Structure formats: structure tokens, C-alpha cells
Amino acid sequence: MHKEFLMGNEAIAIGALAAGVNFVAGYPGTPSTEVLETVAKRNPGNVYVEWSVNEKAAMEAAAGAAYSGARALVTMKQVGLNVAADPLMSLEYIGVKGGMVIMVADDPGPISSQTEQDTRTFAAFSKVPLFDPSSVEEAFSMMKEAFDFSEKWGTPVFFRATTRVDHGYESIEIPDVEEYEKHEAEGFIKDPSRFVIFPRLSVKNHALIEKRNAELSKTLSEYPRNFILPASEGSRYTGHRAIATHGINYTYVMDVFEGKEHPEILKVAVPFPFPEELAAEFLKDKEEVLCVEELDPVIERALIYVCGKYGLTVRIRGKLTGDIAPSGENSVDSVASALAAYLRDDSLRCTAPELKDMPELPVRPPVLCAGCPHRASFYAVKQAMKGQKAFYGGDIGCYTLGNAQPLEMCDTCLCMGAGINIAQGIWRVEPDTKCFAFVGDSTFFASGITGVVNAFYNQADLTLVVLDNSTTAMTGHQPHPGSGRTAMGQVVDKVSIENVLKAIGLSFVETVDPLDLERAIDTVKRAQEVKGVKAVIFRSPCIAIEKSDRKASVNAEACIGCRKCINELGCPAIVLEGKKAKINASLCTGCMLCSKVCPAGAIGE
Amino acid sequence: MQTVQDFKEVNIVLCGVGGQGTILASRLIADAAMNKGIHARSAETIGMAQRGGSVFTNLRLGEEIQTPRIGSGKADLMIAFEPAEAVRMLPYLKEGGAAVVSMEPIMPVSAMVGASTYHLEEILTYLKEHVKNLTLVDSAEAAAALGSAKCLNVVLLGAAVRSGSLGLSEKDIEEAIRKRIPEKLLGLNMKALMYTKEKE
């Protein structure tokens, strides 16, 4: 054993390695990405790791491994679970042989996501048991329990952590590599009555799942991580009022009560199947319970249900009663305020020093990096389409940031790959609009290809713009099928985006460097004149990977102070000094796009 | 000699703009604490905001701490890599808490294209009026003197040690730097650590 300061996601990965995981697959997505990266980095050598093309592929590959008796881990963010929902819903009916843990990172806030969906709700929907850790340490320890549980009950299990656990850090004790468990896979044993899903098998297994989950509810009432923390000794809160909570919220509650007396607290680490008997025991002498939860009111609804089932008269408060915010992320502050109101004790509140008349602060949303080739791509399309009625379908990735001023080149963004068929739908309704769909290289492989096939087959008229920076940039540069590298570092044949598009049947497929602005504009102009689905591939590496020593600089004497470089490009490296543009050399990568925009020729290397 | 038992809880907010090196600074403090057997927890912004957005880290040192996040008015120390971000995070600093702030503004694109405003003088005045234990660091001058802008994080760490609110010594941080920073950059980082001391 040794101690390390670890990120929650690293601890989850090490927990899986220590539990003898054999097979790990996933698709990157904040805040889940570091789990798979850590497995790849700390691989003792006997673990297979892959970045799959998307979450559905990862889920299916992991299912195959688990059918064969291997311990399998699959990782994704919450919206990725939607992509993997199809195999998952059926997999629960089939079950697994080797332990299979589905690690899903939820994102209250949301900080880096499209939705505030709650995987705990998905657990009830899919009937899959779910583990919900509160801290980095608990995430590490719980992983082995999740694998053992999955194997014992023959079901995949969810391991759901939220951003503050995934991206929290803590110094914790972890085993050395020699102490990791070893798990041997038995191999796949043919048994169509078990592995082939037909209606007859489904109805039989459905009944078994319901029976098992009822039994699990009893078993989980004894699981030590579902527990009742008694009120602190001599507490004035004895009886009557209590708190139910989970995940990171448990730590917020404990922080608020640090050094103070606290009421009884129910901590729910496995909310599905819900530990009913434990909850009934907790509720029996209470008048009122406040549920401190993030995302859906899962515990709150379960407690209301338990009250009804056991004939208890306890007032259950939380999100449904307006005591806890229905959306958004909780914080120490928000939990402290809720507890202060509930317990009628203002001393529990967090009080900030009095800060009157704060100066107006600049808003600072994330932006495309200085030198990002996506800026040039967006600018080229914008220039090519000047004065024409055009629609720009955006997608999920760094290039979503193309929505901001001054580029404003992202009219819609829904989910991964959606921009292509949204453009198709808009064009059908508004055929006089030139429709564009921007998609990144990793997104193209993840879910863009089917969209292009659909648009091509259904005779749409749109221009696909693939922003190929040869990496999955937003999540921290993971490889993908077009990058020629795997998660295990193998160099493999690249899947060519051009060849895929030509094979679909597109007659216009041209690749151009977006930083060659004139050619880029010309290519877009020619592409959009062609009927049907056509594609422009803007290929230029992510500047965070291909470091450059080139720097642009402004000749102050030549600069006419027109601000065109600033107002048209919005590059964070260009600022105004007095009336003249100035380039921040520590940010500039020398992409030289600004020099091509400058009407006075004042920007050079 | 200070022991783990003597160490009282220290809560630190680090803030700045994505890409400035706040994460490495928090890691060095956590390393230094751990080397002394002090428990560390932290929470930070990772993800989209790292692309030039406002970022923060909550770092908490001490045995009794339950959560990685810090409530309003609970931080003993703020290390701000950018003055506007310092003001944004002021509600977390407790009455009488210390702040180490880089004076060099980073203009957001939003302010350059007129979608928001940046009043540097007002911001600096506000900090001076509201933080008694305030160290303003002229990071442009530091970068010129050190010949590199890349070790702003260590310059600020040095000032944080000298604010008296970090609960760790110069030597503790020095040891952490030696363990984490590559050999060829050690000299520069040691100079950066001492930079604000030599300015006194």
C-alpha cells in the first residue's frame, strides 16, 4: 500500500485495476475521460484497453468480454449513456458472467454537458443496480465491491459518480501493483438459451429481474455504505427531524455540521434497488426528513414510497417541496442555507464578508484557443457565404465554441452528430437556405457517418464541413479511428474520412488547410454550388498537440487601429493597446490568420 | 518544529484563466502538505472552461475536512492569477483572509469585442480596499526579471508562503518543487519561488 494524491477518476481506475479488471472500453466525455486514460497509463500489462468509436460500441464490446467471464469496465459521461442505451436495456435481461461495471459520470450544473440527466433514474428504468460514491476514497473502495456484486448477482452494475467526485482530489491509500487481484476469464461457453434474446427469454428474465431486485433491496439494507449516522450525542435534533443524502452532497452536509451538533443522517450509496428496510427503520420515529440531493429527487421519491408502503406519516421534503433547488449543482453554500432553513438555525449558513458595490466584471466564457484552426475554418465559410442565406449546424466538440462573438457560426447544437440531419431537416423546410453542417473528426466517426448516409440517401442538399484536427481535442486529446493510434499506443491503419465519404457516394469531397485562407474560401464557394451532399474537410492539427514556435507581431506604425483583426476573429492573443492591436506572444502560435485579415498589412512574423 | 497535530485547517482558493497553471500550483501545495503527512482534498474546474474561461481550484488541508469544496467566507487564502478573477472569487475569502494577486490583466475576447467591459483600475482599487492582507504581484515585471512567464504559478506560491496564511514553509514548497519539476527547470523555479522575497 502507498499514499497518493489522486483525482476521483484516477482512484476509480485504480480501483478497477486492483479488482483485476481484464477489459476496459469507453468513449471520452467530461467528466469521465480520466478513468480510461488512467487505466491505459497504469496498465500492469495484462489489461485490454480501448477508446471505442462511441459508447454503444464500448458497451457491446464490454458485454462480449463479460459474457466470456472477463471483468469488464465501460466508461462514459451521462449523455453517452443515451447512445449506449440500446445494448444496455437488453443486456440487463441477458445478464453477465464476469463482473461488468458501467462507469457513468453525471454532471450537475451542468458544467460541461448538454443535460442534467440523472443516471440513478436510468438505473431504475433499466433495472440495473447503481453505486453512488461520495468521495475519492469511497470511489476507490467501492469499485471492487461493485465488481464482486456484479459477478455474484450476474448483472451489470452502474458506478455513477458526479463531477465533484470524478474531478475531486484526495490523498488516499492505494495498493501497489503487486497487490492487485488477478482474474482469469473462463472464455465464452455457447448457450443460446442464455445469450440469444427472444421474447420468451425476455418475459422469463424480466420476472427474475424483478424478483432479484426485491431481494437486493433487502440485501442492500445491510450494505455498510448505506447507513444511518446517529444524531451527535446530546444533539437537540434527536428524533423528529433528520436528513437523507447521497454522493458529494453527504460531504457538503458533513461540512456544514463540522464542529456542531447534527441530526440523524441517512446516507444512500446504492439508491437502486433502494434499501427499503433501512429507510423504514430510519423513518419510523421521524416527523420530517429533508432530502439533500443533486439532479433528480430519487431518494425523496423513494422515501415517499416507503412511507406509503409501510404506513408511516413522515413529511418528506426536498426538491419536490422547493426546499432544494430543482436544477443545478448544489454547493456547501446552498446546502448550508437549506439546512439552516430546515433546522431553523441561521448559524449554519455560510456568510461571505460584506462586499458592496463590486466593480463590474468581464464575462469570461471559454473560447477557441489562439491559433485554433477551427477559427480559420469558420471564418473561411463565413467569408465564402457573405451575403447569402445560410444555416450553420454545429455539433459537440471544441468547435461548439464557434457560436461565440465575433464568429457566431453555430446556429444549432443538440447532441453528437445531430448537426448533419438537423441541417437536412432545415433544408427540407427552407430549400432556399444554403445548409452547412460542421462536425469534428472524432464526432464524425462517433455518430456522423450514419447522418451523412441518411442525408445522401434522402437526397438532401447540404455541405458537410469536417473539422479534422486529428484528435478528440475538447476532452484532452484522445486518439480515434482517424488518428492511427489506439488507447494502448499501437500504431494502426487510419480510417480515411475522404474514403468513407466517397464510398457513401459523395461526388464532391475536397480537403484543404483552413489556414490557407484564400484556398479555403474558394473550396467552400465551389462546394456549396454542387447539388446534393458534398463535403469539405478542413485539416489542420490541434495547436495543443502540434506546438509551434512561430509568432505573429504587429508593426505598430503600420497598424491603422481599425480593429478588424479583433472584431472579425476574436483571437484571445490579440488585444488592444491604446488604439493599436498588439499580439500576446505567450499565447500566439503564429497561425497568421490575422495577417491575412489585416487590411493594412501591419501583421507579420 | 511544526507537527501534523499542530497543523490547523487551511482552506485555499486558487483562481485565474484556463491555461494559466493554477492546477500545477495547487498540486505543488498538496504535495508539500502530503510530504508532511497532512491530508489534502481539492476540487477544480476541468473541461470546457479550461479553454480560456474562468477557472478555480478549492484546496483544503487538514485532517477533519469532509468535502473538497469551500463555502463562502471560509477561505484563509486566495491565490489569484488574474485581478478580475480575484474579485470574482472574493466572496469565498474569509474576513481577514490573505490574498496574493497577479496584477496583470488577461483581457477576455468578450471585452475586446465589446460584449463586456474590463476596468482594471477599479478592480485593483476594490481589492486594496477590501483585502487587508493583500500582496499584489507585478507579474509582467517578474516575467521580465526571471526571463520567463511560465513560472508565474511559483512566483505566486512564494508570495503565498510569505503571506503567512498557507500554513506551509518556503522549504516545504521547495521540496515539492524538487520532486515534481524537471531538473532543467529547477533553477528557474527556485528563483521564481524567492522572487517576491527579493523584491521586499
Side-chain angles (χ1 to χ4, degrees):
Chain A
M1 297 290 274
H2 67 283
K3 209 166 202 182
E4 278 188 57
F5 188 59
L6 290 171
M7 182 193 277
N9 281 342
E10 293 174 322
I12 289 167
I14 294 166
L17 288 171
V21 72
N22 307 101
F23 184 103
V24 185
Y27 186 77
T30 311
S32 72
T33 314
E34 299 84 1
V35 176
L36 196 138
E37 285 183 325
T38 303
V39 172
K41 209 181 296 168
R42 297 194 182 222
N43 190 347
N46 54 357
V47 182
Y48 173 79
V49 195
E50 75 168 42
W51 281 124
S52 305
V53 71
N54 62 27
E55 294 85 354
K56 174 171 147 69
M59 184 76 77
E60 291 156 351
Y67 285 174
S68 310
R71 283 197 157 186
L73 172 69
V74 52
T75 73
M76 62 196 69
K77 69 182 296 179
Q78 89 284 36
V79 289
L81 180 60
N82 303 337
V83 177
D86 198 4
L88 172 70
M89 294 303 292
S90 301
L91 179 63
E92 176 54 16
Y93 278 63
I94 297 292
V96 292
K97 193 160 81 178
M100 176 164 165
V101 176
I102 303 158
M103 187 273 166
V104 182
D106 282 359
D107 185 21
I111 301 170
S112 311
S113 305
Q114 303 97 291
T115 70
E116 281 201 303
Q117 66 192 66
D118 191 328
T119 299
R120 296 179 303 160
T121 300
F122 215 119
F125 174 52
S126 59
K127 308 180 193 300
V128 174
L130 180 142
F131 291 75
D132 182 16
S134 280
S135 68
V136 174
E137 200 290 318
E138 187 168 61
F140 165 75
S141 307
M142 210 185 234
M143 191 42 109
K144 180 183 152 43
E145 294 159 11
F147 270 110
D148 291 346
F149 185 97
S150 166
E151 230 155 57
K152 180 173 176 192
W153 296 95
T155 174
V157 299
F158 277 123
F159 189 96
R160 187 292 290 257
T162 57
T163 308
R164 299 301 173 190
V165 173
D166 292 311
H167 284 168
Y169 277 81
E170 195 181 332
S171 32
I172 65 165
E173 287 273 342
I174 54 163
D176 302 329
V177 176
E178 309 77 60
E179 296 169 89
Y180 290 178
E181 264 180 49
K182 299 259 185 312
H183 182 86
E184 293 295 330
E186 185 190 19
F188 181 71
I189 295 163
K190 288 190 187 197
D191 182 358
S193 72
R194 178 171 179 189
F195 292 112
V196 179
I197 194 161
F198 271 118
R200 210 156 54 100
L201 181 70
S202 303
V203 73
K204 184 186 109 199
N205 285 359
H206 183 188
L208 291 174
I209 289 165
E210 298 299 348
K211 191 166 159 236
R212 179 206 70 201
N213 280 352
E215 193 183 335
L216 282 179
S217 165
K218 291 197 176 77
T219 305
L220 288 163
S221 285
E222 309 289 324
Y223 179 50
R225 295 189 194 279
N226 288 328
F227 62 82
I228 300 169
L229 181 71
S232 47
E233 220 167 300
S235 160
R236 68 200 139 115
Y237 304 121
T238 316
H240 315 310
R241 287 211 183 86
I243 291 159
T245 186
H246 71 116
I248 194 75
N249 291 276
Y250 172 73
T251 73
Y252 298 160
V253 170
M254 296 312 288
D255 188 72
V256 174
F257 289 123
E258 196 192 330
K260 298 183 175 118
E261 54 194 49
H262 64 78
E264 201 170 301
I265 296 168
L266 171 69
K267 185 196 176 238
V268 182
V270 179
F272 184 84
F274 195 72
E276 277 179 28
E277 286 178 2
L278 180 74
E281 171 69 22
F282 167 72
L283 291 168
K284 69 170 192 257
D285 55 355
K286 303 295 178 304
E287 279 174 15
E288 222 177 33
V289 171
L290 177 69
C291 301
V292 180
E293 289 185 83
E294 254 167 352
L295 303 174
D296 291 344
V298 169
I299 297 170
E300 191 178 348
R301 287 198 173 111
L303 292 184
I304 293 169
Y305 162 81
V306 171
C307 284
K309 183 170 173 182
Y310 290 74
L312 304 167
T313 42
V314 185
R315 195 175 302 117
I316 307 297
R317 292 168 60 175
K319 285 172 175 267
L320 301 171
T321 51
D323 292 284
I324 299 287
S327 65
E329 190 189 19
N330 291 340
S331 62
V332 174
D333 283 39
S334 72
V335 169
S337 299
L339 292 176
Y342 173 62
L343 298 169
R344 290 164 213 139
D345 179 357
D346 273 337
S347 74
L348 295 173
R349 283 179 207 279
C350 295
T351 40
E354 215 169 298
L355 293 166
K356 279 190 193 141
D357 308 317
M358 232 196 218
E360 193 189 332
L361 295 175
V363 292
R364 205 186 290 275
V367 289
L368 291 172
C369 300
C372 175
H374 297 338
R375 179 176 290 104
S377 301
F378 285 127
Y379 189 69
V381 176
K382 198 172 179 175
Q383 290 306 303
M385 298 310 294
K386 225 175 190 170
Q388 295 192 61
K389 191 177 169 196
F391 164 80
Y392 305 115
D395 223 297
I396 307 284
C398 283
Y399 46 98
T400 315
L401 300 175
N403 77 317
Q405 283 182 330
L407 290 168
E408 298 178 296
M409 286 294 284
C410 178
D411 293 332
T412 61
C413 179
L414 188 67
C415 68
M416 280 190 75
I420 300 164
N421 296 130
I422 286 178
Q424 184 193 348
I426 286 180
W427 173 75
R428 274 288 163 204
V429 179
E430 252 183 61
D432 61 335
T433 303
K434 292 281 186 184
C435 287
F436 287 78
F438 292 91
V439 68
D441 42 347
S442 185
T443 305
F444 175 79
F445 290 113
S447 55
I449 297 172
T450 46
V452 181
V453 174
N454 190 64
F456 180 82
Y457 163 56
N458 288 301
Q459 305 296 298
D461 192 341
L462 62 88
T463 307
L464 174 74
V465 182
V466 184
L467 305 173
D468 181 4
N469 58 3
S470 304
T471 186
T472 317
M474 180 57 99
T475 46
H477 306 104
Q478 292 72 33
H480 62 64
S483 67
R485 211 158 40 83
T486 69
M488 298 184 81
Q490 291 160 289
V491 175
V492 295
D493 287 339
K494 293 181 187 182
V495 179
S496 153
I497 297 173
E498 287 87 342
N499 288 350
V500 169
L501 291 171
K502 282 177 192 156
I504 290 170
L506 272 62
S507 57
F508 186 104
V509 178
E510 279 194 29
T511 303
V512 59
D513 179 354
L515 294 169
D516 184 350
L517 188 61
E518 236 173 273
R519 254 196 73 210
I521 294 172
D522 173 67
T523 308
V524 175
K525 279 185 178 163
R526 285 186 293 109
Q528 55 91 28
E529 275 166 11
V530 177
K531 272 234 159 306
V533 179
K534 49 271 172 185
V536 176
I537 298 159
F538 282 127
R539 182 166 292 138
S540 182
C542 174
I543 51 98
I545 289 195
E546 297 265 324
K547 303 274 183 202
S548 147
D549 290 331
R550 291 176 73 189
K551 305 277 170 211
S553 73
V554 179
N555 174 354
E557 271 172 37
C559 175
I560 55 171
C562 69
R563 306 177 62 138
K564 192 176 179 198
C565 53
I566 290 170
N567 291 340
E568 300 227 330
L569 301 179
C571 172
I574 313 177
V575 293
L576 208 59
E577 199 173 59
K579 290 206 151 68
K580 311 259 176 169
K582 187 193 155 197
I583 289 168
N584 179 343
S586 68
L587 289 177
C588 181
T589 66
C591 78
M592 306 314 289
L593 182 64
C594 52
S595 73
K596 291 159 193 153
V597 169
C598 177
I603 305 176
E605 265 194 73
Chain B
M1 172 90 190
Q2 191 195 36
T3 65
V4 180
Q5 284 73 35
D6 299 335
F7 188 88
K8 67 167 187 56
E9 182 176 317
V10 175
N11 297 308
I12 307 158
V13 170
L14 295 102
C15 59
V17 177
Q20 274 195 301
T22 51
I23 291 179
L24 179 62
S26 73
R27 212 64 86 247
L28 287 169
I29 300 172
D31 285 356
M34 278 181 65
N35 290 342
K36 303 187 74 173
I38 299 162
H39 195 76
R41 286 180 193 263
S42 80
E44 64 202 7
T45 323
I46 298 172
M48 205 184 221
Q50 285 177 288
R51 308 265 179 276
S54 301
V55 294
F56 74 91
T57 299
N58 285 176
L59 177 61
R60 309 190 63 183
L61 312 177
E63 291 313 301
E64 300 300 316
I65 287 162
Q66 300 282 340
T67 186
R69 293 182 75 196
I70 300 175
S72 289
K74 297 275 167 70
D76 303 284
L77 170 66
M78 172 164 76
I79 304 176
F81 286 55
E82 208 278 344
E85 298 311 312
V87 175
R88 211 189 296 281
M89 287 289 142
L90 262 191
Y92 289 95
L93 193 63
K94 72 177 185 197
E95 200 77 58
V100 171
V101 181
S102 163
M103 287 161 69
E104 180 83 358
I106 296 183
M107 284 293 158
V109 171
S110 69
M112 294 316 305
V113 300
S116 72
T117 51
Y118 196 120
H119 309 287
L120 179 62
E121 281 314 311
E122 235 179 273
I123 282 168
L124 291 176
T125 308
Y126 194 81
L127 284 170
K128 285 175 198 158
E129 283 170 358
H130 288 82
V131 185
K132 279 193 207 102
N133 186 350
L134 174 71
T135 312
L136 286 174
V137 177
D138 188 333
S139 40
E141 200 182 279
L146 295 164
S148 167
K150 296 231 161 93
C151 45
L152 172 63
N153 42 22
V154 176
V155 171
L156 296 178
L157 271 188
V161 167
R162 286 179 275 283
S163 76
S165 294
L166 185 60
L168 296 164
S169 70
E170 207 170 81
K171 202 159 168 293
D172 297 334
I173 300 292
E174 190 184 315
E175 270 173 43
I177 292 174
R178 285 190 192 284
K179 283 191 188 158
R180 198 177 271 273
I181 306 258
E183 183 79 41
K184 61 174 186 178
L185 296 172
L186 270 183
L188 174 65
N189 279 281
M190 290 305 155
K191 261 197 239 163
L193 184 64
M194 303 308 288
Y195 177 77
T196 59
K197 189 176 195 176
E198 271 138 35
K199 289 287 290 175
E200 274 163 15

